[in-house]
């Protein structure tokens, strides 16, 4: 076999000169090579086909044994080559040309995933030199490293708030795909500064270690509260079977104060300084095709946080979960069901802090109610609760008459919903039956319809007409049109 070169580029072009000579097959060009995947990139319809059928070409390439003798990485500067050997090791296990191309493409994707290269090209060539085998191949990865320092400017959408983000990033600080990032965020309700260091485990990019230093100042008008957090955290992320886990320790100095002079006495009592040191764990199983507006799949997310055993003056055990199911129906419609829940258990005689409690209500949770305006309150200030649940059923359909179908119109969906929930405090000495009765009392619920706009894979916007029905004394409702923007919706 005589193979001159094959080059795979990220611009979806394939350039090659390939001649296969076999005793049982007449010498004939195998252009184009049968490949799959947009990254390896061309469409067969765009290239003039020779007379040989596609199936026979595929069979020739798959049955012709080859050996990958050498793999080179060209273009390295400050990157340590030993940390990249794990990403390209599978290329040596290829048995035929199709397998070489597939494994080289997968290795290229792994190299780009490290976040240290601007571009990665792949060149497959016949082996050269005195030890070259007749069916030997050399694979070369031609890489272009990112600059030592990069900056960014963008806007982000949170839960019904927006912010401007300025970032400075130093990729590949020590040559092993580490990343040092400084970020400043200025938003409508929150301002933050953060410095983080990220390091993946060589060969297992999903396993990573991170250290964060931060300062966050936020305003919470529904509670007449302002909060400033200064803290440090370390976290370890790793996959386990089909789940992703994060283990985290956080130490934070919190300063609480009144946002207005008219703040209630209950909020004034919470004012002052506190120190929280906590250990937390989160587990996620996510099979959805999209995190913003999924059409199929399911999500299970469980969080646990234990504070007080590693220092600080806040002591509690906090559990919360999120479940979501999505199923595609007829006429391109999607049925979605979600359930949230959580419980905050104080440890010792000290009551829980207003900053640790749960909040419910608003366009991103129980629609038809004002932002976080469900549950215990004092003189118009909402204090949060120690236990909550919230559920919703949605029906997403295409826009009527399909305007802009196949283009801009596909970003919009018609939205019908029914959601409900409750937030309260429990007397943990009453027993589980009393707890269930209290959670089933005073249920807030609403229904309505609206339009959903998906902003890529970043966020989504909702404009709904809401009809709140289960309203309790002290709740603030939004009867009529309600606008919501964010990432996480009930």
């Amino acid at each position: 076999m005589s193979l001159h070169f094959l080059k795979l580029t990220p611009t979806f072009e394939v350039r090659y000169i390939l001649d296969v000579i076999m005793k049982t097959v007449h010498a004939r060009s195998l252009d184009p090579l049968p490949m799959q995947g947009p990254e390896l990139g061309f469409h067969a319809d765009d290239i003039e086909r020779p007379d040989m059928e596609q199936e026979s070409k595929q069979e020739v390439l798959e049955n012709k044994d080859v050996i990958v003798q050498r793999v080179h990485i060209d273009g390295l500067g400050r990157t340590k080559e030993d940390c990249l050997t794990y990403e390209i090791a599978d290329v040596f296990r290829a048995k035929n040309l199709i397998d070489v191309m597939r494994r080289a493409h997968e290795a290229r994707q792994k190299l780009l995933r490290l976040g240290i290269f601007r571009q990665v090209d792949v060149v497959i060539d016949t082996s050269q030199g005195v030890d070259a085998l007749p069916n030997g191949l050399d694979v070369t990865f031609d890489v272009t490293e990112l600059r030592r320092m990069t900056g960014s400017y963008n806007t982000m959408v949170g839960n019904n708030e927006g912010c401007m983000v300025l970032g400075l990033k130093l990729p590949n600080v020590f040559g092993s795909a580490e990343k040092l990032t400084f970020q400043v965020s200025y938003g409508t309700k929150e301002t933050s500064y953060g410095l983080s260091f990220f390091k993946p485990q060589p060969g297992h990019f999903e396993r990573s270690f991170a250290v964060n230093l931060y300062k966050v100042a936020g305003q919470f008008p529904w509670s007449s509260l302002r909060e400033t957090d200064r803290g440090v955290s370390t976290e370890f992320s790793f996959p386990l079977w089909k789940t992703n886990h994060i283990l985290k320790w956080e130490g934070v100095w919190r300063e609480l104060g009144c946002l207005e002079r008219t703040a209630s006495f209950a909020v004034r009592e919470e004012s002052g300084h506190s120190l929280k040191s906590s250990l937390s764990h989160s587990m996620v199983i996510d099979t959805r095709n999209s995190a913003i507006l999924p059409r199929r799949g399911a999500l299970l997310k469980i969080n646990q946080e234990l504070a007080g055993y590693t220092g600080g003056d806040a002591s509690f055990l906090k559990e919360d979960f999120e479940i979501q199911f999505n199923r595609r129906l007829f006429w391109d419609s999607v049925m979605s069901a979600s359930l949230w829940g959580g419980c905050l258990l104080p440890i010792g005689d000290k009551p829980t802090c207003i900053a640790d409690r749960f909040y419910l209500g608003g366009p991103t949770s129980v629609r038809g109610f004002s932002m976080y305006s469900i549950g215990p309150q004092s003189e118009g200030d909402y204090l949060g609760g120690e236990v909550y649940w919230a559920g919703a059923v949605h029906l997403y359909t295409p826009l009527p008459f399909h305007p802009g179908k196949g283009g801009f119109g596909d970003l919009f969906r018609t939205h019908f919903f029914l959601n409900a929930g409750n937030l309260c405090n429990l007397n943990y000495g009453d027993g589980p039956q009393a707890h269930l009765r209290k959670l089933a009392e005073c249920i807030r619920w609403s229904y309505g319809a609206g339009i959903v706009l998906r902003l890529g894979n970043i966020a989504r916007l909702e404009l709904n007409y809401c009809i709140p029905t289960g309203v309790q004394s002290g709740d603030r409702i939004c009867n009529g049109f309600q606008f919501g923007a964010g990432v996480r919706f009930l």
Side-chain angles (χ1 to χ4, degrees), residues 2-7 14-20 29-31 33 124-126:
S2 175
L3 174 67
H4 297 294
F5 77 88
L6 172 70
K7 184 173 182 180
V14 177
R15 299 188 299 272
Y16 53 85
I17 301 174
L18 176 64
D19 296 314
V20 178
S29 171
L30 296 184
D31 188 7
L33 288 175
I124 302 175
D125 199 354
T126 54

Side-chain angles (χ1 to χ4, degrees), residues 246-265:
I246 298 178
L247 295 175
K248 182 178 180 180
W249 171 83
E250 182 180 35
V252 54
W253 167 28
R254 303 184 294 190
E255 181 183 358
L256 304 179
C258 297
L259 186 61
E260 300 175 355
R261 292 184 178 182
T262 57
S264 64
F265 181 74

Side-chain angles (χ1 to χ4, degrees), residues 288 294-298 324-328 334-337:
R288 299 173 300 172
R295 300 195 176 200
R296 63 179 183 275
Q324 184 184 103
F325 295 98
N326 302 278
R327 185 176 181 83
R328 196 163 185 170
V334 177
M335 180 68 72
S336 178

Side-chain angles (χ1 to χ4, degrees), residues 289-460:
N289 66 315
S290 170
I292 303 301
L293 194 59
R295 300 195 176 200
R296 63 179 183 275
L299 168 70
L300 172 62
K301 187 174 183 179
I302 302 175
N303 300 305
Q304 303 100 25
E305 183 180 7
L306 177 63
Y309 282 88
T310 55
D313 53 13
S315 298
F316 61 83
L317 175 63
K318 190 174 185 179
E319 301 268 352
D320 66 278
F321 68 90
E322 177 180 353
I323 302 174
Q324 184 184 103
F325 295 98
N326 302 278
R327 185 176 181 83
R328 196 163 185 170
L329 304 177
F330 49 86
W331 296 331
D332 199 26
S333 60
V334 177
M335 180 68 72
S336 178
S338 301
L339 179 65
W340 297 356
C343 179
L344 176 64
L345 176 65
I347 299 176
D349 299 330
K350 190 174 181 179
T352 57
C353 176
I354 190 174
D356 297 318
R357 297 176 194 144
F358 299 105
Y359 291 84
L360 190 63
T364 60
S365 57
V366 181
R367 298 163 181 83
F369 293 80
S370 298
M371 198 70 178
Y372 300 140
S373 63
I374 292 177
Q377 54 96 18
S378 174
E379 303 175 30
D381 293 333
Y382 293 89
L383 307 178
E386 295 178 345
V387 62
Y388 87 102
W389 68 270
V393 178
H394 306 262
L395 178 64
Y396 300 99
T397 65
L399 291 178
F401 313 112
H402 297 279
K405 184 178 180 181
F408 185 71
D410 288 344
L411 300 178
F412 292 87
R413 306 287 286 180
T414 307
H415 180 215
F416 303 91
F417 67 88
L418 170 66
N419 50 207
N422 197 6
L423 175 74
C424 59
N425 294 319
L426 298 179
N427 184 352
Y428 291 98
D430 290 343
Q433 291 185 352
H435 298 166
L436 292 176
R437 282 196 301 267
K438 191 167 185 178
L439 285 172
E441 295 174 353
C442 306
I443 295 177
R444 285 82 165 175
W445 64 283
S446 65
Y447 62 94
I451 301 294
V452 179
L453 170 61
R454 176 174 57 87
L455 301 178
N457 290 320
I458 302 173
R460 88 187 207 190

